[in-house]
């Protein structure tokens, strides 16, 4: 499964690759089905902006992007806008523009139009040329540049200064680092979670990111899982030991990627082979979606003492198939 979990005002919103959306209390992790329109199912990606929830779906309502708004008093979501022509796997909301990538193998740009009494609209602006990109699963941006992880494991750089004519500029060399799992821009730095290393790049020339620092576990049998989380001073990432099938949770300093703290669980039926799909930091805690062949969990790690991170809570998710957390 490949979806998202969004932290928003004390709740976690969980998308699954099934016909269900879930809302969980961030403190107790107790869950209830999300009261959302039936079109918005089988979500691959989702982001909150204000009270609006943007969903990239491949569900019963058709492939496309859907924009919902939550009514605070009732918790009910109303469908504001949709575009069912887009075969979407990943989306990114920046200002008044929406960037989409998916099975059409292009980066599409939409303008988000809403004001006064005018209904919200998603107005198509432009897209990259045919054959320039593979489908991208994770997107981030810096100024007029969008960075995305492709299904084939590359990280692509796209110039979106001209929204009607975005241009693919090339890829970030991966060398022996393996496939890219996630990307994150923080300040003027780009973090890429490659399968065998976390790398931070400077964006002094955003068209050609330059390697600043690299972190790789001393244990070469480890490989990085999906997801990167950040706080003001730290980066959080998880690695799976391919021999023991135990996952370790790492706390790194921003920029330098120095190791600050690490948590590795004991082998139990609850933690065996759980792999992180994505994570988000909020107020001294990191929330992670984690999955194995038979277990699907939301986990909370305490990171208020970054040198001694610990597993605080873990809760099963009904059904199966989920992936990402965003804040």
């Amino acid at each position: 499964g490949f979806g998202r979990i969004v932290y928003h005002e004390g709740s976690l919103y969980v998308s699954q690759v099934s016909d269900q959306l879930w809302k969980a209390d961030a403190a107790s992790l107790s869950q209830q089905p999300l009261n959302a329109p039936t079109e918005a199912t089988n979500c691959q990606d989702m982001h909150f902006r204000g009270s609006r929830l943007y969903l990239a779906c491949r569900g019963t309502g058709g492939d496309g992007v859907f924009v919902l708004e939550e009514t605070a008093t009732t918790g009910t979501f109303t469908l504001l806008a949709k575009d069912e022509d887009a075969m979407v796997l990943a989306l990114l909301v920046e200002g008044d523009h929406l960037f989409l990538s998916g099975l059409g193998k292009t980066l599409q740009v939409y303008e988000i139009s809403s004001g006064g009494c005018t209904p919200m609209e998603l107005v198509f602006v432009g897209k990259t040329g045919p054959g320039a990109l593979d489908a991208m699963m994770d997107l981030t941006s810096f100024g007029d540049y969008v960075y995305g992880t492709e299904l084939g494991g590359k990280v692509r750089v796209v110039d979106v200064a001209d929204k009607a004519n975005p241009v693919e500029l090339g890829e970030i060399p991966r060398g022996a680092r393996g496939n890219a799992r996630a990307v994150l821009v923080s300040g003027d730095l780009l973090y890429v979670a490659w399968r065998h290393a976390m790398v931070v790049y400077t964006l002094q020339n955003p068209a050609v990111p330059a390697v600043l620092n690299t972190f790789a576990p001393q244990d070469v049998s480890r490989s990085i899982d999906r997801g990167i989380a950040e706080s003001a001073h730290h980066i959080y990432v998880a690695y799976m030991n391919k021999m023991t099938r135990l996952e370790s949770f790492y706390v790194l300093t921003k920029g330098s990627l120095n190791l600050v703290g690490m948590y590795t669980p004991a082998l139990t039926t609850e933690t065996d082979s759980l792999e992180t799909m994505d994570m988000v930091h909020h107020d001294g805690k990191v929330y992670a979606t984690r999955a194995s062949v038979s277990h699907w969990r939301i986990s909370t790690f305490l990171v208020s003492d970054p040198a001694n991170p610990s597993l605080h809570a873990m809760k099963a998710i009904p059904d199966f198939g989920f992936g990402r957390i965003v804040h």
Side-chain angles (χ1 to χ4, degrees):
F2 195 86
R4 285 198 183 266
I5 293 185
V6 183
Y7 181 94
H8 181 68
E9 297 184 351
S11 294
L12 300 169
Y13 296 79
V14 184
S15 70
Q16 297 176 277
V17 183
S18 64
D19 286 342
Q20 187 64 68
L21 290 164
W22 295 87
K23 182 177 181 178
D25 179 76
S28 67
L29 302 185
S30 60
Q31 307 134 29
Q32 61 183 6
L34 191 67
N35 189 358
T38 55
E39 296 103 322
T41 56
N42 200 354
C43 294
Q44 310 294 305
D45 198 357
M46 67 180 182
H47 292 270
F48 254 109
R49 285 297 181 272
S51 62
R52 291 175 176 174
L53 180 60
Y54 293 77
L55 301 169
C57 298
R58 301 186 65 206
T60 56
D63 294 349
V65 58
F66 300 85
V67 185
L68 312 179
E69 186 160 40
E70 184 175 21
T71 303
T73 55
T74 63
T76 301
F77 280 84
T78 302
L79 182 64
L80 295 182
K82 63 181 178 179
D83 185 328
E84 294 180 276
D85 292 329
M87 296 187 292
V88 186
L89 295 177
L91 60 83
L92 175 68
V93 183
E94 289 293 348
D96 57 358
H97 286 95
L98 174 67
F99 300 94
L100 308 174
S101 180
L103 299 180
K105 297 187 177 183
T106 62
L107 182 71
Q108 303 174 55
V109 184
Y110 285 75
E111 185 177 14
I112 303 168
S113 174
S114 62
C117 297
T118 304
M120 182 178 182
E121 291 183 307
L122 298 176
V123 181
F124 176 75
V125 178
K127 64 181 180 179
T128 52
L133 299 168
D134 197 353
M136 293 191 286
M137 305 295 290
D138 196 25
L139 299 173
T140 190
S141 68
F142 178 77
D144 289 328
Y145 296 85
V146 169
Y147 307 92
T149 60
E150 288 187 333
L151 283 173
K154 300 176 181 179
V155 177
R156 293 287 189 175
V157 183
V158 183
D159 184 339
V160 295
D162 181 356
K163 301 296 189 294
N165 296 285
V167 179
E168 191 270 331
L169 299 180
E171 65 178 275
I172 298 176
R174 54 179 162 176
R177 301 183 185 107
N179 291 347
R181 312 301 298 273
V183 287
L184 169 73
V185 165
S186 181
D188 59 356
L189 299 176
L190 169 67
Y191 295 85
V192 179
W194 301 98
R195 186 167 183 83
H196 300 302
M198 168 67 73
V199 182
V200 58
Y201 300 81
T202 65
L203 295 175
Q204 293 178 342
N205 179 0
V208 186
V211 174
L212 178 64
N213 286 302
T214 299
F215 171 80
Q218 293 181 345
D219 184 351
V220 295
S221 65
R222 294 186 184 276
S223 63
I224 199 168
D225 291 331
R226 296 187 185 96
I228 310 170
E230 66 163 332
S231 61
H233 303 291
H234 298 102
I235 291 292
Y236 308 95
V237 68
Y239 278 83
M240 174 70 75
N241 186 307
K242 292 179 288 185
M243 303 299 293
T244 65
R245 301 302 299 166
L246 285 178
E247 182 184 70
S248 295
F249 175 80
Y250 288 81
V251 183
L252 311 173
T253 54
K254 273 188 167 178
S256 66
L257 296 185
N258 291 328
L259 178 62
V260 178
M262 184 177 89
Y263 169 79
T264 301
L267 181 62
T268 70
T269 56
E270 285 296 306
T271 57
D272 183 19
S273 298
L274 282 174
E275 177 182 359
T276 293
M277 312 303 333
D278 200 34
M279 57 178 74
V280 64
H281 173 272
H282 180 75
D283 195 24
K285 298 182 178 69
V286 172
Y287 301 96
T289 46
R290 306 166 74 208
S292 68
V293 174
S294 56
H295 299 298
W296 298 270
R297 304 285 187 262
I298 300 177
S299 297
T300 305
F301 293 93
L302 293 180
V303 293
S304 51
D305 178 3
N308 296 285
S310 61
L311 180 64
H312 174 64
M314 188 158 52
K315 195 90 168 182
I317 287 286
D319 206 343
F320 62 89
F322 58 78
R324 293 188 168 262
I325 296 183
V326 292
H327 171 57

